[in-house]
Amino acid sequence: MAQFGFENDIHSILKLDMPITNAPMARWQRKASSSNASALNGLSPGKSANVSVSSSKTPSKTPGKNKKVTPSKMGGDRFIPTRNSKQMDVASFLLTKENEPVDANNTAGTSETQKAWSMSLNGYNIEDAKILHLGGKPLNAPEGYQNNLKVLYSQGATPASVKKTRYISSTPDRILDAPELRNDFYLNLLDWSSRNVLAVALHNSVYLLDAAQGDVTLLMKLEHEEDYISSLSWTKEGTYLAIGTSDCKIQLWDVYNQKRLRSMASHTSRVVSLSWNDHVLSSGSRSGHIHHHDVRVADHHIVTLTGHSQEVCGLKWSPDGRYLASGGNDNMVHVWPRVQEGTANQSVRSWSEHQGAVKALAWCPWQPNILASGGGTSDRHIRIWNVNSGSCVSSLDTQSQISSLVFAPNYKELVSAHGYAHNNVVIWKYPALSRVAELNGHEDRVLSLLLSPDCSTVATVAGDETIRLWKSFEMDPVKKAKERLVKSKSGVIHQSIR
């Protein structure tokens, strides 16, 4: 009898003050009427929060379907809200009001009055009330409770701090054949202009490649077959090209008119490195001397720097034009001040930490006082220098000969080209110098590495007589997964320089 009394109490709590008109019979009532046994044991599907959570029995999920009872679990994942009698009164009123006709004439005049009365009596506007308002806080789970249910879906937004992984293709975007390219570690046979034109030296000839259109043009060829091109360097504007040769001369060419402007002779051995700073062209030779040339005047040779004892194979002016960095086969790195009349031609910094030839030099574009240098086979280290303090900021053993370095500003990275024993290109995160990716494909040592004007592509030239363009630094590239899977070496654009 106690059970029936308990059931009547629940029914009386859930009972509305006014009947719901035109409402269909509840599902549990239909089932209760069809089975006497179910009617005796079934409970209402709407369960009151006043029932103690410590009750030893709970009804089955569907009333009348099963007589079996299961013990309740403390701190389950269901939240049973509280429903007081006032909420039931409001719900009954709103349901009844839905079936009443609306008087359009009287509504406008009494809306403000009804709203004021509602706010005074209920504390809120009855027109904005919900049919069933759920209130109260869920009970805390007991200590040590574990929910074994697994989350299949989540509406939580992706944190803003989580960045998309950048896709770096392992295959080059284009491959260019470069026959008769000299496999000489100390030469600088490739340069990329600000107008997106690649200049490449093949033995005694210079070819120009329009990187956008793919057109190839022969710019010049030396008169004597035994001579060869040893270095190339574009001006900042990309209209003039300086060409160093094995016969100790430097030629200056107007590229778009395909006309040689002048030939400058001052060195006593081959010119293997060139670098521009406005109208001053700096050149390094096998003799260890560095010459400054003012190309505006007839007497072009203005200064000689004598800090190196062997071939000067690396030469780079800083982006702001304040310093000239030089590296040589004597394992030395020197930093020279800007060319000024009446100043002593002494280096401001000299470092001897490298144990191999220093050809790879790169200035950081976003930190003008930072210089990166790379050593040859006997050294294999990348060293980062602070020119202002003269200290070595960091050092990394790459386990391979370093032939070229370049900073990639799009992702704040440092890119290195390697010869023996890896013959590849490595992308490093700066300043941590952690490995980001490797670009493999060359079958011989990589001789030079250059960055495109938009800083999205690197060009590499190697002893296997190929030039490869790697599009590895595009800003937010949109790559389809299908294209990543389908792309293969057969899809690479293959072209010959001549």
Side-chain angles (χ1 to χ4, degrees):
M1 294 300 291
Q3 180 179 356
F4 298 117
F6 175 67
E7 181 181 352
N8 292 331
D9 292 339
I10 293 179
H11 280 293
S12 64
I13 292 173
L14 298 178
K15 184 178 179 181
L16 300 177
D17 291 344
M18 299 180 64
I20 301 175
T21 59
N22 300 330
M25 183 181 292
R27 179 172 175 268
W28 68 273
Q29 290 177 335
R30 294 198 303 271
K31 287 201 172 186
S33 63
S34 64
S35 174
N36 293 331
S38 300
L40 294 175
N41 297 289
L43 289 177
S44 171
K47 186 165 65 171
S48 172
N50 295 330
V51 180
S52 174
V53 294
S54 62
S55 175
S56 60
K57 294 184 179 180
T58 56
S60 60
K61 185 178 285 187
T62 304
K65 184 175 181 180
N66 198 340
K67 296 181 181 180
K68 184 179 179 181
V69 294
T70 57
S72 65
K73 262 191 178 181
M74 186 72 174
D77 62 331
R78 292 198 306 158
F79 168 46
I80 304 176
T82 59
R83 304 187 185 107
N84 54 35
S85 58
K86 186 177 180 180
Q87 293 174 356
M88 292 300 179
D89 294 340
V90 173
S92 175
F93 170 76
L94 293 175
L95 288 172
T96 306
K97 187 180 179 182
E98 288 181 354
N99 298 321
E100 294 179 356
V102 179
D103 188 357
N105 297 326
N106 194 29
T107 301
T110 60
S111 60
E112 292 298 326
T113 304
Q114 289 178 352
K115 180 178 180 181
W117 278 106
S118 177
M119 294 294 294
S120 177
L121 296 174
N122 303 315
Y124 55 88
N125 186 9
I126 194 71
E127 297 295 335
D128 299 331
K130 298 180 180 179
I131 296 295
L132 186 60
H133 173 71
L134 304 181
K137 295 182 179 180
L139 297 176
N140 293 328
E143 185 177 356
Y145 172 77
Q146 293 182 353
N147 188 357
N148 295 324
L149 298 177
K150 295 181 178 179
V151 178
L152 298 180
Y153 302 98
S154 175
Q155 293 182 348
T158 303
S161 60
V162 178
K163 297 182 180 179
K164 295 181 180 179
T165 303
R166 171 163 132 250
Y167 172 71
I168 301 177
S169 176
S170 59
T171 57
D173 188 61
R174 299 172 68 180
I175 299 178
L176 309 172
D177 288 330
E180 294 190 82
L181 181 80
R182 294 187 70 87
N183 188 0
D184 190 330
F185 174 81
Y186 300 99
L187 305 186
N188 292 274
L189 305 178
L190 187 69
D191 200 17
W192 207 330
S193 76
S194 58
R195 299 196 177 190
N196 206 21
V197 177
L198 270 170
V200 55
L202 304 181
H203 187 48
N204 61 354
S205 303
V206 176
Y207 290 86
L208 304 178
L209 169 68
D210 189 328
Q213 303 296 330
D215 300 331
V216 178
T217 306
L218 173 63
L219 177 65
M220 58 85 68
K221 185 176 182 179
L222 296 177
E223 296 179 1
H224 302 289
E225 186 67 26
E226 64 272 13
D227 293 333
Y228 58 88
I229 308 296
S230 53
S231 57
L232 298 171
S233 182
W234 288 97
T235 58
K236 183 179 180 180
E237 297 76 19
T239 53
Y240 302 103
L241 180 67
I243 302 172
T245 63
S246 61
D247 61 352
C248 317
K249 296 179 182 179
I250 302 172
Q251 297 185 16
L252 187 60
W253 281 76
D254 181 346
V255 172
Y256 291 94
N257 293 321
Q258 294 193 351
K259 179 181 179 181
R260 190 178 74 177
L261 300 179
R262 65 185 304 178
S263 178
M264 300 180 293
S266 62
H267 287 286
T268 58
S269 57
R270 68 177 186 177
V271 182
V272 295
S273 55
L274 296 168
S275 184
W276 286 92
N277 185 13
D278 293 332
H279 57 273
V280 174
L281 174 63
S282 300
S283 59
S285 70
R286 177 176 275 179
S287 64
H289 292 175
I290 300 172
H291 291 181
H292 289 321
H293 309 268
D294 188 342
V295 298
R296 302 171 300 176
V297 297
D299 191 8
H300 55 85
H301 183 200
I302 55 177
V303 174
T304 299
L305 306 178
T306 59
H308 291 278
S309 60
Q310 295 187 40
E311 190 163 27
V312 182
C313 48
L315 209 56
K316 283 287 191 304
W317 276 102
S318 61
D320 56 9
R322 294 180 59 194
Y323 299 112
L324 173 67
S326 63
N329 198 27
D330 56 359
N331 309 341
M332 293 293 297
V333 177
H334 291 288
V335 177
W336 309 87
R338 179 186 300 161
V339 180
Q340 294 180 350
E341 294 183 4
T343 58
N345 301 318
Q346 299 293 327
S347 61
V348 294
R349 299 293 176 194
S350 296
W351 297 297
S352 59
E353 279 79 354
H354 284 289
Q355 303 301 316
V358 182
K359 176 190 176 185
L361 294 171
W363 290 95
C364 182
W366 60 91
Q367 288 181 290
N369 62 318
I370 295 297
L371 173 69
S373 60
T377 307
S378 303
D379 181 71
R380 305 172 300 181
H381 279 73
I382 295 176
R383 301 183 192 274
I384 308 297
W385 309 95
N386 187 323
V387 176
N388 292 342
S389 64
S391 61
C392 181
V393 178
S394 58
S395 178
L396 175 69
D397 187 357
T398 65
Q399 302 294 324
S400 185
Q401 179 191 49
I402 305 170
S403 58
S404 192
L405 290 171
V406 67
F407 280 95
N410 285 358
Y411 291 94
K412 298 291 192 298
E413 292 168 335
L414 178 65
V415 190
S416 58
H418 298 274
Y420 178 82
H422 296 156
N423 300 334
N424 65 352
V425 176
V426 182
I427 302 173
W428 310 90
K429 192 64 182 177
Y430 179 83
L433 295 184
S434 57
R435 190 184 301 263
V436 176
E438 291 185 14
L439 306 179
N440 298 295
H442 282 293
E443 299 176 359
D444 205 328
R445 61 181 177 181
V446 182
L447 300 173
S448 293
L449 172 75
L450 293 166
L451 191 65
S452 63
D454 62 358
C455 303
S456 66
T457 307
V458 288
T460 56
V461 60
D464 57 4
E465 297 187 345
T466 64
I467 300 172
R468 297 171 189 252
L469 305 183
W470 312 80
K471 194 168 287 188
S472 304
F473 305 97
E474 289 182 298
M475 293 299 293
D476 299 327
V478 179
K479 298 283 186 179
K480 295 181 180 179
K482 183 178 179 181
E483 292 178 349
R484 298 180 186 178
L485 296 175
V486 172
K487 188 176 181 180
S488 60
K489 292 184 179 180
S490 60
V492 176
I493 300 177
H494 207 114
Q495 185 179 356
S496 179
I497 291 293
R498 65 182 187 186

